[in-house]
């Protein structure tokens, strides 16, 4: 400020000094004229700078700060510093806002900012997808015009947002959302939506599973407890024929429960980890030889059971799991093939994949059941499955085992004619044995 006064004093002093120099030479009039001209020049100089300042002030953010001389140089320099620091601050705030927006965009939950009249101010891509919105076109639109669900409208209007709302949206694919509203500022709202479709599906599966297990256990338990009551009341004795029959039925029902528990434990082990625990080289011929033997024992001469090993091979995998999967397919073929039928087990190649197949001439399966056969407790023929001691979990186990070995299951069936279950393994799990080792027991078994 002192500086301004000093400058002003210097200008006035200079004009005065010029007047005083002129006075003795040209008289008082010329001295006054010189002094006046000095003042006028100073005025013009200031008016020009003032004009430049006014022009700049019309749009200070767009126009560049003028360059001045003298005192104006300092004024404009100060203004320039001010503008620069303002621009820097503005850039910083813009960058922060952009960062905040991109964070909100990246959030896996839907975010919609609503104004005091429930109009959309902003929303992220997740919210666009969930509510079928367009952030640009729908900005300023009341959300209730765009999300037209009575439950949603009721929730927004209720102004009671302590509890979240569960919203079901059925467009191309059904979507289940939990919607929460957080109020802030002057009746502005933040709508947060979380996709719980998958969690709901898992919860439904869990409920169905518990209901199925309870249902499976109920019948055998009712049979066993009924007979126990009859025994304890002394109505029948274990040593009489009726008693022996009852004991036999109790045994078969407890066997059934035991099989169910074993299969459930197996499934739970398979589901706990995604990788087989103990992988080794399995000699396919030896493994299938054992399975063929078990199959013939299970069939008890009611079927013709054959094995063809096209190419002796080593399979890399968990022996216990593979054995269980193959045995399940074979036991199904026996259980669903009437007396006199033929069951053929074979090992070979399809392209570079290893293939184990079980073909039967049994009752077959209607094609509508095929896609669901590997679901837990899904049965195409419920009464036959139960009568033959099925748990409804066999094919679920097979599918799990194959998936853990990067393999897959194919099912072909003709109702009334028979079925073919094919387990395929990727090439990297299969090694062809260079020299076929001879297994005397296998040869004996396959010949018989
Ligand atoms: P289950 O213990 O009931 O046999 P699985 O999971 O092994 O359970 O099989 C599911 C269903 O698939 C069976 O209930 C049966 O209806 C059908 N199924 C499986 N294998 C065969 C087969 N070889 N022939 C006919 N139906 C079969």
């Amino acid at each position: 400020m002192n500086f301004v006064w000093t400058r002003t004093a210097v200008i006035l002093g200079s004009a005065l000094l010029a007047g005083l120099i002129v006075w003795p030479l040209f008289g008082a009039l010329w001295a006054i004229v010189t002094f006046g001209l000095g003042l006028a020049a100073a005025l013009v100089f200031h008016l020009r700078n003032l004009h430049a300042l006014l022009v700049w002030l019309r749009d200070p953010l767009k126009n560049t700060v003028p360059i001045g001389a003298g005192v104006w140089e300092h004024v404009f320099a100060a203004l320039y510093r001010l503008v620069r620091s303002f621009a820097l601050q503005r850039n910083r705030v813009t960058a922060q806002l952009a960062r905040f927006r991109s964070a909100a965009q990246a959030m896996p939950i839907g975010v919609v900012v609503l104004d005091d009249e429930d109009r959309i101010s902003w929303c992220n891509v997740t919210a666009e997808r969930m509510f079928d919105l367009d952030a640009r076109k729908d900005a300023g639109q009341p959300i209730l015009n765009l999300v037209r669900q009575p439950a949603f409208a009721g929730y927004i209007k209720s102004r009671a947002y302590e509890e979240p709302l569960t919203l079901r949206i059925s467009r191309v694919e059904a979507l289940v959302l939990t919607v929460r509203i957080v109020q802030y500022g002057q009746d502005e709202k933040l709508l947060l939506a979380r996709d719980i479709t998958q969690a709901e599906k898992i919860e439904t599966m869990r409920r169905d599973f518990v209901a199925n297990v309870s249902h499976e256990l109920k019948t055998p338990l009712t049979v066993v407890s009924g007979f126990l009551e009859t025994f304890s009341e002394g109505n029948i004795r274990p040593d009489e024929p009726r008693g022996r029959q009852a004991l036999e039925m109790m045994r078969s029902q407890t066997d059934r429960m035991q099989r169910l528990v074993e299969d459930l434990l197996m499934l739970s082990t398979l589901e706990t980890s995604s990788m087989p625990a103990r992988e080794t080289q399995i000699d396919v011929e030896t493994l299938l030889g054992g399975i063929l033997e078990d199959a013939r024992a299970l069939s008890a001469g009611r079927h013709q059971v054959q094995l063809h090993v096209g190419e002796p091979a080593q399979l890399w995998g968990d022996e216990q799991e593979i054995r269980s999967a193959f045995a399940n397919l074979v036991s199904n073929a026996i259980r669903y093939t009437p007396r006199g039928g033929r069951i053929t087990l074979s090992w070979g190649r399809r392209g570079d994949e290893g293939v184990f197949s079980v073909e039967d001439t049994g009752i077959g399966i209607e094609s509508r059941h095929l896609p669901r056969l590997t679901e837990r407790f899904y049965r195409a023929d419920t009464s036959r499955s139960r009568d033959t001691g099925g748990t409804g979990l066999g094919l679920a186990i097979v599918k799990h085992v194959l998936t853990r070995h990067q393999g897959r299951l194919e099912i072909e069936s003709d109702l009334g004619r028979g079925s073919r279950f094919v387990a395929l393994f990727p090439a990297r799990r299969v090694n062809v044995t260079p020299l076929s080792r001879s297994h005397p027991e296998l040869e004996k078994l396959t010949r018989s």
Side-chain angles (χ1 to χ4, degrees), residues 104-105 107-112 122-134 147 171 177 191 193:
Q105 282 291 14
M107 272 202 266
I109 55 170
V111 182
V112 185
W122 181 83
C123 70
N124 69 354
V125 258
T126 316
E128 284 186 306
R129 187 179 49 78
M130 286 171 166
F131 297 106
D132 201 15
L133 298 175
D134 183 321
V147 182
R171 283 198 304 270
L177 306 174
L191 182 151

Side-chain angles (χ1 to χ4, degrees), residues 151-429:
F152 183 72
Y155 184 63
I156 295 272
K157 286 180 189 155
S158 74
R159 297 287 188 260
Y161 305 133
E162 297 81 36
E163 292 296 317
L165 166 78
T166 303
L167 195 64
R168 286 167 206 282
I169 296 183
S170 37
R171 283 198 304 270
V172 184
E173 48 192 71
L175 206 62
V176 189
L177 306 174
T178 44
V179 176
R180 253 184 189 285
I181 288 192
V182 183
Q183 281 173 298
Y184 71 99
Q186 302 203 316
D187 202 22
E188 281 161 298
K189 296 172 209 77
L190 200 60
L191 182 151
L192 304 169
R194 201 158 60 87
D195 185 348
I196 54 159
T197 316
Q198 207 51 32
E200 270 249 326
K201 252 187 218 157
I202 293 171
E203 180 53 23
T204 312
M205 271 167 68
R206 192 193 62 80
R207 266 201 305 268
D208 287 354
F209 182 67
V210 172
N212 276 324
V213 173
S214 316
H215 181 73
E216 293 293 327
L217 286 172
K218 206 171 155 202
T219 318
L221 270 175
T222 313
V223 173
V224 173
S225 73
F227 280 132
L228 280 176
E229 206 175 302
T230 321
F231 278 124
S232 63
E233 282 167 2
N235 293 338
I236 46 172
R237 286 202 327 273
D239 53 356
E240 62 179 281
R242 265 191 328 138
R244 276 197 292 277
Q245 210 180 347
L247 281 175
E248 181 49 35
M249 284 173 84
M250 283 166 73
R251 196 188 55 78
S252 97
Q253 294 302 333
T254 44
D255 280 355
R256 184 170 154 189
M257 285 191 278
Q258 196 172 346
R259 266 197 309 276
L260 183 68
V261 172
E262 277 166 7
D263 278 1
L264 283 171
L265 284 175
M266 175 88 185
L267 260 184
S268 125
T269 315
L270 294 175
E271 279 170 359
T272 337
S273 72
S274 58
M275 296 272 290
R278 292 170 303 275
E279 295 199 77
T280 53
Q281 290 268 29
I282 308 161
D283 185 86
V284 174
E285 274 187 308
T286 316
L287 175 75
L288 294 183
I291 286 176
L292 178 68
E293 212 171 331
D294 293 346
R296 286 189 172 148
L298 189 65
S299 158
R302 285 173 292 134
H303 311 92
Q304 223 185 306
V305 190
Q306 296 167 338
L307 169 67
H308 297 297
V309 179
E311 196 175 54
Q314 304 282 316
L315 181 62
W316 182 252
D318 183 311
E319 183 159 3
Q320 207 188 331
E321 288 185 17
I322 301 275
R323 183 191 300 279
S324 157
F326 288 4
N328 264 309
L329 293 178
V330 174
S331 115
N332 278 355
I334 292 168
R335 287 169 38 238
Y336 297 105
T337 302
R339 177 182 285 276
R342 198 175 55 251
I343 290 151
T344 313
L345 324 183
S346 45
W347 172 265
R349 287 246 172 189
R350 186 195 289 173
D352 50 8
E353 286 177 304
V355 179
F356 170 65
S357 74
V358 182
E359 202 168 346
D360 64 54
T361 55
I363 61 171
I365 307 156
E366 251 184 276
S367 59
R368 68 187 167 96
H369 295 298
L370 296 182
R372 298 194 57 190
L373 280 191
T374 55
E375 284 175 27
R376 294 180 295 191
F377 297 115
Y378 188 88
R379 291 167 166 114
D381 187 329
T382 312
S383 58
R384 188 160 184 123
S385 162
R386 295 232 167 85
D387 291 351
T388 56
T391 61
L393 297 173
L395 290 181
I397 292 175
V398 173
K399 188 183 165 188
H400 265 290
V401 170
L402 292 181
T403 309
R404 284 154 70 86
H405 289 81
Q406 299 77 48
R408 60 186 204 280
L409 180 69
E410 285 180 1
I411 310 171
E412 296 156 21
S413 192
D414 242 343
L415 191 62
R417 287 169 170 264
S419 315
R420 189 170 132 87
F421 287 76
V422 185
L424 293 115
F425 294 90
R428 67 196 144 91
R429 288 205 170 262

Side-chain angles (χ1 to χ4, degrees), residues 50-92:
L50 199 62
H51 177 255
L53 176 65
L54 286 173
V55 169
W56 173 73
L57 277 175
R58 268 183 222 143
D59 200 346
L61 293 180
K62 263 201 192 146
N63 298 337
T64 46
V65 181
I67 300 167
V71 71
W72 287 98
E73 187 186 340
H74 293 275
V75 171
F76 289 141
L79 281 172
Y80 178 73
R81 279 196 297 277
L82 207 69
V83 167
R84 236 183 71 137
S85 95
F86 175 72
L88 279 176
Q89 222 168 322
R90 195 183 58 162
N91 287 351
R92 223 173 288 140

